[in-house]
Amino acid sequence: RMGFWPGEKRSPRSSAYETPEGFIEVTRENQDTPISEHFRLRDFLTKDQSDVWPKYLVLREELVDKLELIIDELGTRGIKVRRMVVMSGFRTPQYNQQGVGRRGGRAKDSRHQFGDAADVFVDNNGDGRMDDLNRDGRVNAKDAQIIIDAASRVEARHPSLLGGAGRYKATRAHGPFAHIDVRGTRARWGTGG
């Protein structure tokens, strides 16, 4: 089940919110296909309907490029990244709608539905949580800010990858993470700048 994109029910507010032109079919057999050095197709799949195959994915190449450049940028700052986890990549409109509003915190027109956003964290030790990137002995939103700062430096060098970045604190359900997207305009939230 995919649901309806915002542009299918009303006029999109801009071309960035138009219904996607196509999908990548992901099967059990091809889900581990590498799409870059650090990412596989499965990393960006919607998190619901786990037993439904095939699945369909919208994924903009620019997002993958930006994430790889962020990993490289972190490396230049002495933060070796072996594993960046995509906590949430593409979301079908049907899945996104389940979390819209105060309860789920998702935006009605979330960039995740358009294949150009990912919520990520660095997890080199494989414990399922953000690593202590700033080496202050604590894992918190300040570690997500390290990823956002790297994204800002990447955008300065690659204006075609301009987009949003949001810093999220840990909750009972998840650790801290950073939202990264390539919407085409600069947006920041939860970062103080």
Side-chain angles (χ1 to χ4, degrees):
R1 295 182 54 207
M2 300 292 278
F4 295 93
W5 271 263
E8 291 181 286
K9 292 187 170 189
R10 65 187 187 286
S11 295
R13 58 183 173 179
S14 76
S15 61
Y17 291 90
E18 290 180 359
T19 303
E21 293 180 15
F23 304 93
I24 301 166
E25 184 176 71
V26 183
T27 65
R28 289 177 198 236
E29 295 76 27
N30 75 2
Q31 67 178 322
D32 288 319
T33 301
I35 55 175
S36 71
E37 182 179 346
H38 294 93
F39 301 103
R40 308 271 180 265
L41 280 175
R42 68 180 142 86
D43 295 327
F44 294 91
L45 289 172
T46 296
K47 301 299 184 209
D48 70 338
Q49 303 178 60
S50 61
D51 293 330
V52 175
W53 295 95
K55 299 178 185 300
Y56 295 91
L57 173 65
V58 177
L59 181 61
R60 290 200 36 217
E61 293 173 23
E62 295 89 344
L63 174 63
V64 179
D65 291 344
K66 186 173 186 177
L67 293 174
E68 287 290 352
L69 288 167
I70 289 169
I71 290 170
D72 290 347
E73 176 64 25
L74 290 169
T76 66
R77 303 289 170 139
I79 301 168
K80 174 88 171 121
V81 177
R82 291 182 303 281
R83 184 168 180 251
M84 180 177 278
V85 174
V86 179
M87 190 171 95
S88 182
F90 170 64
R91 293 184 196 144
T92 63
Q94 177 265 335
Y95 180 63
N96 190 71
Q97 185 60 38
Q98 295 173 21
V100 170
R102 286 177 43 190
R103 186 170 155 213
R106 295 181 190 155
K108 186 176 184 179
D109 287 345
S110 169
R111 296 308 313 162
H112 290 270
Q113 298 173 99
F114 301 93
D116 62 9
D119 297 336
V120 299
F121 60 92
V122 174
D123 182 20
N124 289 333
N125 63 9
D127 68 355
R129 297 282 209 191
M130 173 80 81
D131 290 348
D132 181 12
L133 301 183
N134 65 359
R135 300 177 183 107
D136 68 355
R138 296 178 298 180
V139 175
N140 55 32
K142 291 179 182 177
D143 298 299
Q145 186 65 46
I146 300 294
I147 296 171
I148 292 167
D149 293 343
S152 293
R153 291 189 296 273
V154 166
E155 290 175 353
R157 286 193 310 278
H158 303 277
S160 65
L161 300 177
L162 196 62
R167 181 176 75 178
Y168 290 85
K169 297 177 181 178
T171 69
R172 288 182 181 175
H174 58 73
F177 66 90
H179 169 99
I180 302 294
D181 71 51
V182 289
R183 68 181 64 193
T185 57
R186 187 179 194 279
R188 296 292 187 268
W189 59 94
T191 64

